[in-house]
Coordinates of all heavy atoms in Angstrom, one line a residue:
S37 N 21.3 -35.0 213.6 CA 20.6 -34.2 212.7 C 19.5 -34.9 212.0 O 18.7 -34.2 211.3 CB 21.5 -33.5 211.7 OG 22.1 -34.5 210.9
G38 N 19.4 -36.2 212.1 CA 18.4 -37.0 211.4 C 18.8 -37.6 210.1 O 18.1 -38.4 209.5
S39 N 20.1 -37.4 209.7 CA 20.6 -38.1 208.5 C 20.7 -39.6 208.7 O 21.1 -40.0 209.8 CB 22.0 -37.5 208.1 OG 21.9 -36.2 207.8
T40 N 20.4 -40.4 207.7 CA 20.5 -41.8 207.8 C 21.4 -42.4 206.7 O 21.5 -41.9 205.6 CB 19.1 -42.5 207.7 OG1 18.5 -42.1 206.5 CG2 18.2 -42.0 208.8
N41 N 22.0 -43.5 207.1 CA 22.8 -44.3 206.1 C 22.6 -45.8 206.3 O 22.4 -46.2 207.5 CB 24.3 -44.0 206.2 CG 24.7 -42.6 205.8 OD1 24.9 -41.7 206.6 ND2 24.8 -42.4 204.5
Y42 N 22.6 -46.5 205.2 CA 22.4 -48.0 205.3 C 23.4 -48.7 204.5 O 24.0 -48.3 203.5 CB 21.0 -48.3 204.7 CG 19.8 -47.7 205.4 CD1 19.4 -46.4 205.0 CD2 19.2 -48.3 206.4 CE1 18.3 -45.8 205.6 CE2 18.1 -47.8 207.0 CZ 17.6 -46.5 206.7 OH 16.6 -46.0 207.3
Q43 N 23.7 -49.9 205.0 CA 24.5 -50.9 204.3 C 23.7 -51.2 203.0 O 22.5 -51.3 203.0 CB 24.7 -52.1 205.1 CG 25.6 -53.2 204.4 CD 25.5 -54.5 205.1 OE1 25.6 -55.5 204.5 NE2 25.5 -54.5 206.4
D44 N 24.4 -51.4 201.9 CA 23.8 -51.6 200.6 C 22.8 -52.8 200.6 O 21.7 -52.8 200.0 CB 24.8 -51.8 199.5 CG 25.5 -50.5 199.1 OD1 25.0 -49.4 199.4 OD2 26.6 -50.6 198.5
S45 N 23.2 -53.8 201.3 CA 22.4 -55.1 201.3 C 21.0 -54.9 202.0 O 20.2 -55.8 201.8 CB 23.2 -56.2 201.9 OG 23.4 -56.0 203.3
V46 N 20.8 -53.9 202.8 CA 19.6 -53.7 203.5 C 18.8 -52.5 203.0 O 17.6 -52.3 203.4 CB 19.8 -53.6 205.0 CG1 20.6 -54.7 205.5 CG2 20.4 -52.2 205.4
K47 N 19.3 -51.8 202.0 CA 18.6 -50.6 201.5 C 17.3 -51.1 200.9 O 17.2 -52.0 200.1 CB 19.4 -49.9 200.5 CG 20.6 -49.1 201.1 CD 21.4 -48.4 200.0 CE 22.5 -47.6 200.6 NZ 23.4 -47.0 199.5
G48 N 16.2 -50.3 201.2 CA 14.9 -50.6 200.7 C 14.2 -51.7 201.5 O 12.9 -51.8 201.3
R49 N 14.8 -52.3 202.4 CA 14.2 -53.3 203.3 C 14.2 -52.9 204.8 O 13.2 -53.2 205.5 CB 14.9 -54.7 203.2 CG 14.9 -55.3 201.8 CD 15.5 -56.7 201.7 NE 16.8 -56.7 202.2 CZ 17.3 -57.4 203.2 NH1 16.4 -58.1 204.0 NH2 18.6 -57.4 203.5
F50 N 15.2 -52.3 205.2 CA 15.3 -51.8 206.6 C 15.2 -50.3 206.7 O 15.6 -49.6 205.8 CB 16.7 -52.2 207.2 CG 17.0 -53.7 207.4 CD1 16.1 -54.6 206.8 CD2 18.1 -54.1 208.1 CE1 16.4 -56.0 207.0 CE2 18.4 -55.4 208.3 CZ 17.5 -56.4 207.7
T51 N 14.6 -49.9 207.8 CA 14.4 -48.5 208.1 C 14.8 -48.2 209.5 O 14.3 -48.8 210.4 CB 13.0 -48.0 207.8 OG1 12.6 -48.3 206.5 CG2 12.8 -46.5 208.1
I52 N 15.7 -47.3 209.7 CA 16.1 -46.8 211.0 C 15.3 -45.6 211.4 O 15.1 -44.7 210.5 CB 17.6 -46.6 211.2 CG1 18.0 -46.3 212.6 CG2 18.1 -45.5 210.3 CD1 19.5 -46.4 212.9
S53 N 14.8 -45.5 212.6 CA 14.0 -44.3 213.0 C 14.3 -44.1 214.5 O 15.0 -44.9 215.1 CB 12.5 -44.5 212.7 OG 12.0 -45.6 213.4
R54 N 13.8 -43.0 215.0 CA 14.0 -42.6 216.4 C 12.8 -42.0 217.0 O 11.9 -41.4 216.3 CB 15.2 -41.7 216.5 CG 15.0 -40.3 215.8 CD 16.2 -39.5 215.8 NE 16.0 -38.2 215.2 CZ 16.9 -37.3 214.9 NH1 18.2 -37.6 215.2 NH2 16.6 -36.2 214.3
D55 N 12.7 -42.1 218.3 CA 11.7 -41.4 219.1 C 12.5 -40.6 220.1 O 13.0 -41.2 221.1 CB 10.8 -42.4 219.8 CG 9.7 -41.7 220.6 OD1 9.9 -40.5 221.0 OD2 8.6 -42.3 220.8
N56 N 12.8 -39.3 219.8 CA 13.6 -38.5 220.7 C 13.1 -38.4 222.1 O 13.9 -38.4 223.1 CB 13.8 -37.1 220.1 CG 14.7 -37.2 218.8 OD1 15.5 -38.1 218.7 ND2 14.5 -36.2 218.0
A57 N 11.8 -38.3 222.2 CA 11.2 -38.2 223.5 C 11.5 -39.4 224.4 O 11.6 -39.2 225.7 CB 9.7 -37.9 223.4
K58 N 11.6 -40.5 223.8 CA 11.8 -41.7 224.6 C 13.3 -42.2 224.5 O 13.6 -43.3 225.1 CB 10.9 -42.9 224.1 CG 9.4 -42.6 224.4 CD 8.6 -43.7 223.9 CE 7.1 -43.5 224.2 NZ 6.2 -44.6 223.7
N59 N 14.1 -41.4 223.8 CA 15.5 -41.8 223.7 C 15.7 -43.2 223.1 O 16.5 -44.0 223.6 CB 16.3 -41.6 225.0 CG 16.3 -40.2 225.5 OD1 16.5 -39.3 224.8 ND2 16.0 -40.1 226.8
T60 N 14.9 -43.5 222.1 CA 14.9 -44.9 221.6 C 15.1 -44.8 220.1 O 14.5 -44.0 219.4 CB 13.5 -45.5 221.9 OG1 13.4 -45.6 223.3 CG2 13.5 -46.9 221.3
V61 N 15.8 -45.8 219.6 CA 16.1 -46.0 218.1 C 15.5 -47.3 217.7 O 15.6 -48.3 218.5 CB 17.5 -45.9 217.8 CG1 17.8 -46.3 216.3 CG2 18.1 -44.5 218.0
F62 N 14.9 -47.3 216.6 CA 14.2 -48.5 216.1 C 14.9 -49.0 214.7 O 15.4 -48.2 214.0 CB 12.7 -48.3 215.8 CG 12.0 -47.8 217.0 CD1 11.8 -46.4 217.2 CD2 11.5 -48.6 218.0 CE1 11.1 -45.9 218.3 CE2 10.8 -48.2 219.1 CZ 10.6 -46.8 219.2
L63 N 14.8 -50.2 214.5 CA 15.2 -50.8 213.2 C 14.1 -51.7 212.7 O 13.9 -52.8 213.2 CB 16.5 -51.6 213.3 CG 17.0 -52.1 211.9 CD1 17.5 -50.9 211.1 CD2 18.2 -53.0 212.1
Q64 N 13.3 -51.2 211.7 CA 12.3 -52.0 211.1 C 12.9 -52.8 210.0 O 13.4 -52.2 209.1 CB 11.2 -51.0 210.6 CG 10.0 -51.8 209.9 CD 9.2 -52.6 210.8 OE1 8.8 -52.2 211.9 NE2 8.9 -53.9 210.4
M65 N 12.7 -54.1 210.1 CA 13.4 -55.0 209.1 C 12.3 -55.7 208.4 O 11.5 -56.5 209.0 CB 14.3 -56.0 209.8 CG 15.4 -55.3 210.7 SD 16.6 -56.5 211.4 CE 15.5 -57.4 212.5
N66 N 12.1 -55.5 207.1 CA 11.2 -56.2 206.3 C 11.8 -57.0 205.2 O 13.0 -56.9 205.0 CB 10.3 -55.1 205.6 CG 9.5 -54.2 206.5 OD1 9.1 -54.7 207.6 ND2 9.3 -53.0 206.2
S67 N 11.1 -57.9 204.6 CA 11.6 -58.8 203.6 C 12.9 -59.5 204.0 O 13.8 -59.5 203.3 CB 11.8 -58.0 202.3 OG 10.6 -57.4 201.9
L68 N 12.8 -60.0 205.2 CA 14.0 -60.6 205.8 C 14.5 -61.8 205.0 O 13.7 -62.6 204.5 CB 13.8 -61.0 207.3 CG 13.8 -59.8 208.2 CD1 13.1 -60.2 209.5 CD2 15.3 -59.3 208.5
K69 N 15.8 -61.9 204.9 CA 16.5 -63.0 204.2 C 17.3 -63.8 205.2 O 17.7 -63.3 206.3 CB 17.4 -62.5 203.1 CG 16.6 -61.6 202.1 CD 17.6 -61.0 201.1 CE 16.9 -60.1 200.2 NZ 17.9 -59.4 199.2
S70 N 17.7 -65.0 204.8 CA 18.5 -65.8 205.7 C 19.9 -65.2 206.0 O 20.5 -65.3 207.1 CB 18.8 -67.2 205.1 OG 19.4 -67.1 203.8
E71 N 20.4 -64.4 205.0 CA 21.6 -63.7 205.2 C 21.6 -62.6 206.2 O 22.6 -62.0 206.7 CB 22.1 -63.1 203.9 CG 21.2 -62.0 203.3 CD 21.6 -61.5 201.9 OE1 21.9 -62.4 201.1 OE2 21.5 -60.3 201.7
D72 N 20.4 -62.2 206.7 CA 20.2 -61.2 207.7 C 20.4 -61.8 209.1 O 20.4 -61.1 210.1 CB 18.8 -60.6 207.7 CG 18.6 -59.8 206.4 OD1 19.6 -59.1 206.0 OD2 17.5 -59.9 205.8
T73 N 20.5 -63.2 209.2 CA 20.7 -63.8 210.5 C 22.0 -63.4 211.1 O 23.1 -63.5 210.5 CB 20.7 -65.3 210.3 OG1 19.4 -65.8 209.9 CG2 21.0 -66.0 211.6
A74 N 21.9 -62.8 212.3 CA 23.0 -62.3 213.1 C 22.6 -61.8 214.4 O 21.4 -61.8 214.7 CB 23.6 -61.1 212.3
V75 N 23.6 -61.5 215.2 CA 23.3 -60.8 216.5 C 23.4 -59.3 216.1 O 24.4 -58.8 215.6 CB 24.4 -61.1 217.6 CG1 24.1 -60.3 218.8 CG2 24.3 -62.6 217.9
Y76 N 22.4 -58.6 216.5 CA 22.3 -57.2 216.2 C 22.6 -56.4 217.4 O 22.0 -56.6 218.5 CB 20.9 -56.8 215.7 CG 20.7 -57.3 214.2 CD1 20.5 -58.6 213.9 CD2 20.6 -56.3 213.2 CE1 20.4 -59.0 212.6 CE2 20.4 -56.7 211.9 CZ 20.3 -58.1 211.6 OH 20.1 -58.5 210.3
Y77 N 23.5 -55.4 217.3 CA 24.0 -54.6 218.4 C 23.6 -53.2 218.2 O 23.9 -52.6 217.1 CB 25.5 -54.7 218.5 CG 26.0 -56.1 218.9 CD1 26.4 -57.0 217.9 CD2 26.1 -56.5 220.2 CE1 26.8 -58.2 218.2 CE2 26.6 -57.7 220.5 CZ 27.0 -58.6 219.5 OH 27.4 -59.8 219.8
C78 N 23.0 -52.6 219.1 CA 22.8 -51.1 219.1 C 24.0 -50.4 219.6 O 24.8 -50.9 220.4 CB 21.6 -50.8 220.1 SG 21.2 -49.0 220.2
Y79 N 24.3 -49.3 219.0 CA 25.4 -48.5 219.4 C 25.1 -47.0 219.5 O 24.1 -46.6 218.9 CB 26.7 -48.7 218.5 CG 26.6 -47.8 217.3 CD1 27.2 -46.5 217.2 CD2 26.0 -48.3 216.1 CE1 27.1 -45.8 216.1 CE2 26.0 -47.6 215.0 CZ 26.5 -46.3 214.9 OH 26.5 -45.6 213.8

């Protein structure tokens, strides 16, 4: 439906979006911090 939810630590810095025509989801990550270091998994 387009509703979004974020972990508190990334609110205001990360944005999730989608391109339905391409069946693709994006995660724009700004103001990155060392604590953001991780393996990121799409689900």
Side-chain angles (χ1 to χ4, degrees):
S37 67
S39 299
T40 58
N41 291 101
Y42 298 90
Q43 181 191 144
D44 287 343
S45 65
V46 308
K47 288 181 179 178
R49 300 188 298 120
F50 291 11
T51 302
I52 187 169
S53 61
R54 64 186 181 188
D55 184 336
N56 289 334
K58 297 182 178 180
N59 298 316
T60 301
V61 172
F62 305 95
L63 185 67
Q64 179 66 46
M65 305 185 294
N66 298 326
S67 301
L68 283 162
K69 307 173 181 178
S70 59
E71 66 187 41
D72 297 317
T73 295
V75 177
Y76 284 70
Y77 296 91
C78 179
Y79 81 91

